[in-house]
Amino acid sequence: MSRYSPFTTVSYLMPPVLIIAGHLGSLLLITTGISWGSFAWLLFLYEIRMLATTAIYHRLLTHRSYQADIWVLRIGCLLATTAGQMGPSWWKAHHLAHHRHTDTPLDPHSPYVPIQGIKGFLWSHGGWLFSYSQLLPKQLPRDVECDLFLKVLDRWHFVPVLAVAALSFALGGNEYLGAFCLSTTFLYHGVASVNSLSHVQGTQPFKTNDQSRNNALVAVLALGEGWHNLHHAFQSSIRHGITISDGTVKYLPDPTFRFIQLLGYMGLASKFKMPREEKLLAKARIKTNPTVTADLLIPETVLKSEFSVQTTQQSSP
């Protein structure tokens, strides 16, 4: 029996409904076509909701890579829920479980366990969201649960999704509603590709004890989140777009990082956490075989001492 209330349990079991509804709703565009206006609406919804997911849900709420006013966090989480990515407690709980148990049997969405090959890839990309045993988090994050706004938003995460769907229909009928659904579907696959593609294809410039990879295609789709090997090597880094080339640190395009920098220039974000270059080089993978993953990941408690805290005036290259 679930330890959650009946309402919370139903709320947490909604991913399959949201995924299927988004895909089916996209079919509206077959009959309506897509105008430049609805196409612009689709792109706008994709960009703003992806940024809310990457910059707020991921780098602020989950990893505390920077500090921001509480209402930046709350409004950002509200926008993120409109992406159909579930609520803040659910999202953070699953992501932290992924980092604690990456590519092991306790990882909720590894492409290597419980199955491998194409079935493992499909499991990591979305199959796990159709598994009852995986949908209910084992433990909810205390900081989110202590914030009444975020807790209510978490349980009622589907309301903002429906609100934006209704707004889309009000703006342009079935065509704009179809554009909303297609944008939401693209968002789902963009975020899911971090779990799947970024663990099976790409480079591993940094030593970790998992199969995380830097994948340029995913970095484009998920606005910088595809530089996943760096993220697993330095989980609290505000910038994911970093690699090692010819023994030197190279910085890669990272739109989410640039967006957070913009928040900093506006006085809405501060105290950016960035690994120093000597620490990046110390953790660089020396062996060229990308499948070698025997080196141990530095524990998060040790990792924090490796970060320099920057003000908004001291941005990285």
Side-chain angles (χ1 to χ4, degrees):
M1 179 178 293
S2 170
R3 62 186 178 86
Y4 297 110
S5 69
F7 177 79
T8 300
T9 300
V10 172
S11 175
Y12 281 0
L13 293 178
M14 281 192 176
V17 176
L18 296 174
I19 293 170
I20 293 172
H23 283 74
L24 291 179
S26 301
L27 299 178
L28 288 170
L29 294 176
I30 296 177
T31 59
T32 66
I34 185 166
S35 64
W36 284 111
S38 59
F39 182 69
W41 182 241
L42 183 157
L43 288 180
F44 170 75
L45 289 179
Y46 183 93
E47 294 293 331
I48 193 171
R49 294 186 295 167
M50 181 64 84
L51 279 174
T53 303
T54 62
I56 306 300
Y57 259 14
H58 191 203
R59 303 193 196 186
L60 178 59
L61 177 72
T62 303
H63 290 289
R64 300 295 181 183
S65 300
Y66 63 102
Q67 292 185 10
D69 182 82
I70 185 62
W71 282 105
V72 172
L73 174 64
R74 290 174 175 175
I75 294 173
C77 286
L78 176 61
L79 284 173
T81 60
T82 69
Q85 298 291 327
M86 300 293 287
S89 282
W90 187 97
W91 203 96
K92 181 172 181 176
H94 279 293
H95 191 71
L96 289 180
H98 168 64
H99 275 285
R100 283 194 299 267
H101 310 291
T102 310
D103 293 329
T104 72
L106 294 178
D107 186 342
H109 46 66
S110 171
Y112 300 99
V113 289
I115 48 180
Q116 299 183 16
I118 185 62
K119 290 183 178 180
F121 177 86
L122 293 175
W123 169 265
S124 66
H125 194 76
W128 71 281
L129 290 171
F130 290 81
S131 170
Y132 175 83
S133 63
Q134 295 294 338
L135 284 177
L136 299 181
K138 304 300 185 292
Q139 182 179 359
L140 296 179
R142 182 176 300 178
D143 59 333
V144 181
E145 291 295 291
C146 287
D147 186 312
L148 182 59
F149 179 92
L150 295 181
K151 183 176 181 179
V152 171
L153 181 62
D154 178 74
R155 305 311 194 263
W156 293 86
H157 62 88
F158 51 89
V159 173
V161 180
L162 295 175
V164 177
L167 173 62
S168 299
F169 184 79
L171 287 174
N174 284 338
E175 180 185 344
Y176 275 66
L177 178 60
F180 160 79
C181 290
L182 186 58
S183 174
T184 304
T185 299
F186 285 158
L187 270 165
Y188 165 73
H189 288 290
V191 173
S193 66
V194 180
N195 300 334
S196 56
L197 278 176
S198 289
H199 278 263
V200 300
Q201 184 65 44
T203 61
Q204 292 182 300
F206 300 99
K207 294 179 286 189
T208 64
N209 63 343
D210 54 53
Q211 292 288 342
S212 58
R213 317 234 171 189
N214 279 357
N215 186 296
L217 173 61
V218 179
V220 172
L221 295 175
L223 304 184
E225 298 290 281
W227 310 124
H228 204 49
N229 180 241
L230 177 281
H231 175 52
H232 273 259
F234 297 93
Q235 295 177 27
S236 297
S237 176
I238 192 174
R239 184 170 194 166
H240 293 186
I242 307 174
T243 190
I244 302 294
S245 178
D246 298 325
T248 60
V249 176
K250 301 292 185 182
Y251 293 91
L252 305 168
D254 188 343
T256 296
F257 169 66
R258 295 304 183 189
F259 172 73
I260 298 171
Q261 276 190 314
L262 177 61
L263 292 180
Y265 296 145
M266 297 169 62
L268 300 175
S270 62
K271 296 186 178 180
F272 298 168
K273 295 180 181 178
M274 181 79 72
R276 298 188 296 272
E277 290 200 355
E278 61 266 27
K279 297 299 182 182
L280 291 164
L281 291 171
K283 203 161 177 59
R285 183 180 298 279
I286 296 185
K287 296 181 180 181
T288 58
N289 184 353
T291 64
V292 176
T293 57
D295 304 278
L296 293 178
L297 183 69
I298 299 176
E300 184 75 10
T301 54
V302 177
L303 188 61
K304 290 180 180 178
S305 66
E306 297 188 347
F307 285 85
S308 58
V309 178
Q310 301 180 345
T311 65
T312 55
Q313 287 76 31
Q314 293 175 310
S315 60
S316 68

